[in-house]
Amino acid sequence: MPDALRKMVDAVEGRAAAAMEQFVAGEGFSELLVRVTENVVAVSRISSDVWDLTLRNLRLAGRGDIDRLAGHLLRTEDKLEMLLQAFERQEAGPDRQ
Amino acid sequence: MTQVPGIRGALAAGIETANILLTAPDARIGTTPRDLVWSHRKTTLYRYRSTERRHRVPVLLVFALINRPEIFDLRPGNSFVEYLLEQGFDVYLLDWGVPGAEDAETGLDYYVCDALPWAMREVRRCSGADSVTLLGWCIGGTLCALHAALEGSRSPARNLILLTTPIDPKDSLYRTWVGRDSFDVQFVTDKWDVVPGVGIDVANKLMKPVANLWTTYRRLAQNVQDGRADRAAFQSMQKWISDNPPFPARAFREWVTWIYKERRLVNGGLRLRGRRADLRRITQSLLIVTAGSDHIVPRANTTPLLDQVLSADVTDLALPGGHIGLMAGSGARNRIWPELGEWLAARSSG
C-alpha cells in the first residue's frame, strides 16, 4: 500500500474511532444497548424454555434437571469442605483454635 | 504487468492473515508447568513448579471473573508467571473456573469469604509461610481489596498488589451503561442463570468499537504484508480474548448493583455475610498500578482507594498502557514486571 494511502487510512480510522467512542458514550446509545440486552435476554430465555419443555416431553433429562443435579453436587462438596475444616481444627487441638 | 507482483503479494498476505486468525484457537497459552494444590466447586489453586524459590512470602495471583487467568502466563517468553519464577518467587494461581447454571446462586461472598481465604490457607500450608502476597487484577483486585477490607490485619495477606482495579467507577463508561436506572440487572439475572461471557466480551469491545473490531485486524493484515507480524504474540492474545467464561447470575447482580449502581465500596455500605467491608481496615503494604490508556478501569476509578486505606506503606504506580496491555503487552517485561518484582522482593523476606 503506498505511503500516502496508508496515512489517509490511518487518519480516517483515527477520526472514525474518536467519533464512535463519543457515540457509544452517549445517552442514546446507552439506552439502545439496555433495550437490546433485554431483548436478547428475553429471547434466549424463551428459546431455552421451549427446548427444555421439548426434551422433558420426550422423557429426557433437560437442562433444568442437569442443573439441579449439579447444584446437589456443589452443596455436597460444600459440606465435605466444612467437614474437612472441622476435622482439621479438631486435629490441631485446642491450642491452635 | 507491473501490477502482478503487488496483487500476488496482497493475495499471499491475505491468505497468511486468514491463516493466523483461523488457527488462533490452536495457540498454546498457560504452558508453564504447575501442580494442582486444591479445588472446591469450580475454583482451583495451582502452584507453579520451581527449583529456585528464594523469597519467603509466596505470591497468590487472582484474576477477574471475566476472561481466564492464563493472561498471567500467556506464552513462553512473555509470561508474568515465568518472570516471577525466574526472580525466585513461590507462585500460586487461583483459577475461578468456568461457572455453569448450577452456580447461579454463587455470590461475591463465596469468592471473598470462602474461596479466597481457603486458597490462602492452602498456600500457607503448601509453602510453609505464615503470610501471603495477594496480587489481584481487575475484578480480582476488587475481590482481594474486599477481603482485606473485611479481615484487616487478621488476614494472612501481608502485601496487596492491585492492578487496574475498579474501586469507584464514577464517570466510567461502564457506569453509563450498567449503572443507569433503566438497566434492570434483576431482569437479566432472573432470566439467565449465568450471564454469557460472550455478552460481556461484546460490551468490552463496544467501548472502543473501531479499535477492537476493525483496527486490530487491519493492523494484522498490514503487518503481515510488511513482514512484521508476530504470529505467536497475536494468536496467544487472540485466543485469550476469545475465551469468555460466563458470570454467575447472583455475583453479576451484586457486582453491577453494589459497585456500579450504588458505589458501595467507597460509600461504606458494602456488607458480605453481615460484615461491613471497610477500606480503612486495609493495613497491608499496598501497591496500586493504573494504566494511562485504560478505558475499562480508568485511573480515576482506582485512586479513591488511596484516600481510604490506613496502610503505612503505599506505592502508587501510574504507567502508560491499556487495561490488559499494561501487564501482558510486549513492553511489560521491560517496564512493569521489574517494578513489581523489586517491590515484591523488598517485602517478601522473613
Side-chain angles (χ1 to χ4, degrees):
Chain A
M1 197 190 288
D3 270 358
L5 184 60
R6 202 167 269 191
K7 275 181 191 158
M8 197 179 81
V9 169
D10 283 344
V12 170
E13 210 172 271
R15 279 201 293 273
M20 284 302 289
E21 278 163 39
Q22 205 176 351
F23 171 69
V24 298
E27 285 293 309
F29 181 82
S30 301
E31 275 305 314
L32 183 73
L33 196 63
V34 166
R35 293 291 158 248
V36 169
T37 304
E38 282 181 358
N39 289 353
V40 170
V41 170
V43 168
S44 76
R45 187 69 213 187
I46 291 165
S47 120
S48 168
D49 287 350
V50 168
W51 276 108
D52 219 41
L53 198 64
T54 311
L55 285 173
R56 281 177 156 212
N57 285 330
L58 290 168
R59 299 290 185 266
L60 294 169
R63 180 71 182 266
D65 302 303
I66 293 166
D67 292 345
R68 262 193 301 282
L69 186 63
H72 283 306
L73 284 174
L74 290 186
R75 282 191 289 281
T76 308
E77 202 181 343
D78 286 348
K79 286 175 192 163
L80 184 64
E81 175 69 31
M82 294 301 164
L83 203 63
L84 277 171
Q85 288 181 21
F87 178 73
E88 280 171 3
R89 278 197 298 270
Q90 194 76 27
E91 204 177 44
D95 296 345
R96 296 288 303 272
Q97 286 180 33
Chain B
M1 291 304 284
T2 51
Q3 294 272 311
V4 173
I7 292 170
R8 196 184 296 155
L11 191 65
I15 290 170
E16 174 69 9
T17 305
N19 182 266
I20 290 175
L21 290 171
L22 292 170
T23 58
D26 303 316
R28 293 182 68 231
I29 60 174
T31 56
T32 304
R34 61 189 187 180
D35 297 308
L36 192 154
V37 172
W38 168 83
S39 71
H40 177 258
R41 290 187 167 218
K42 306 291 166 65
T43 306
T44 310
L45 177 70
Y46 295 99
R47 183 188 204 188
Y48 286 93
R49 290 183 201 152
S50 172
T51 50
E52 292 181 55
R53 294 183 186 120
R54 295 191 300 273
H55 301 285
R56 183 90 183 103
V57 181
V59 182
L60 176 60
L61 306 174
V62 184
F63 194 62
L65 302 175
I66 54 175
N67 286 106
R68 305 276 298 135
E70 276 78 18
I71 191 70
F72 281 119
D73 182 28
L74 198 56
R75 65 191 159 89
N78 194 46
S79 156
F80 181 55
V81 165
E82 204 179 70
Y83 179 81
L84 286 178
L85 293 175
E86 282 167 13
Q87 299 302 309
F89 291 99
D90 188 4
V91 185
Y92 294 79
L93 176 80
L94 193 55
D95 182 349
W96 301 121
V98 180
E102 66 277 12
D103 298 295
E105 278 309 308
T106 300
L108 292 181
D109 61 332
Y110 166 72
Y111 298 103
V112 176
C113 304
D114 290 343
L116 193 51
W118 293 348
M120 289 167 78
R121 175 198 68 201
E122 295 301 324
V123 169
R124 290 163 67 204
R125 179 181 305 181
C126 202
S127 64
D130 293 329
S131 54
V132 175
T133 290
L134 274 182
L135 189 154
W137 190 349
C138 188
I139 298 176
T142 314
L143 299 176
C144 293
L146 274 169
H147 162 79
L150 280 177
E151 301 296 335
S153 54
R154 283 185 309 176
S155 165
R158 172 167 162 181
N159 307 311
L160 196 57
I161 301 180
L162 306 178
L163 307 172
T164 58
T165 293
I167 297 292
D168 179 9
K170 192 178 173 219
D171 299 330
S172 71
L173 181 51
Y174 255 133
R175 188 155 192 264
T176 306
W177 287 354
V178 300
R180 60 198 310 110
D181 291 340
S182 59
F183 179 68
D184 187 354
V185 70
Q186 188 74 47
F187 173 83
V188 174
T189 54
D190 280 350
K191 300 281 181 292
W192 272 340
D193 294 324
V194 284
V195 177
V198 68
I200 296 164
D201 183 46
V202 166
N204 280 338
K205 286 189 170 138
L206 277 179
M207 296 178 106
K208 284 197 170 205
V210 175
N212 291 323
L213 303 171
W214 166 254
T215 309
T216 304
Y217 305 103
R218 200 267 299 157
R219 274 210 189 123
L220 171 69
Q222 192 176 309
N223 287 339
V224 168
Q225 195 164 18
D226 296 347
R228 289 186 288 117
D230 186 339
R231 189 185 183 97
F234 184 89
Q235 287 194 319
S236 54
M237 187 57 88
Q238 190 69 14
K239 179 172 181 176
W240 177 78
I241 286 173
S242 311
D243 191 359
N244 310 112
F247 208 123
R250 190 177 140 210
F252 183 78
R253 186 173 63 241
E254 291 173 350
W255 177 255
V256 168
T257 309
W258 294 348
I259 306 294
Y260 283 91
K261 285 183 186 285
E262 300 172 356
R263 295 167 53 217
R264 286 194 192 184
L265 207 46
V266 280
N267 294 334
L270 204 157
R271 301 183 86 89
L272 291 172
R273 296 190 182 161
R275 295 164 65 202
R276 195 161 78 89
D278 186 351
L279 295 174
R280 284 172 300 185
R281 244 182 244 144
I282 298 178
T283 52
Q284 285 80 2
S285 290
L286 178 67
L287 170 61
I288 289 177
V289 183
T290 55
S293 311
D294 190 345
H295 61 290
I296 295 174
V297 184
R299 178 170 161 75
N301 290 181
T302 306
T303 47
L305 182 66
L306 297 170
D307 301 329
Q308 306 229 10
V309 295
L310 290 183
S311 311
D313 173 22
V314 178
T315 310
D316 175 16
L317 209 54
L319 294 170
H323 189 66
I324 297 300
L326 173 79
M327 276 292 285
S330 53
R333 173 171 273 276
N334 298 322
R335 203 168 49 206
I336 181 172
W337 297 353
E339 298 236 30
L340 293 182
E342 273 174 40
W343 189 91
L344 269 173
R347 292 160 180 84
S348 298
S349 58

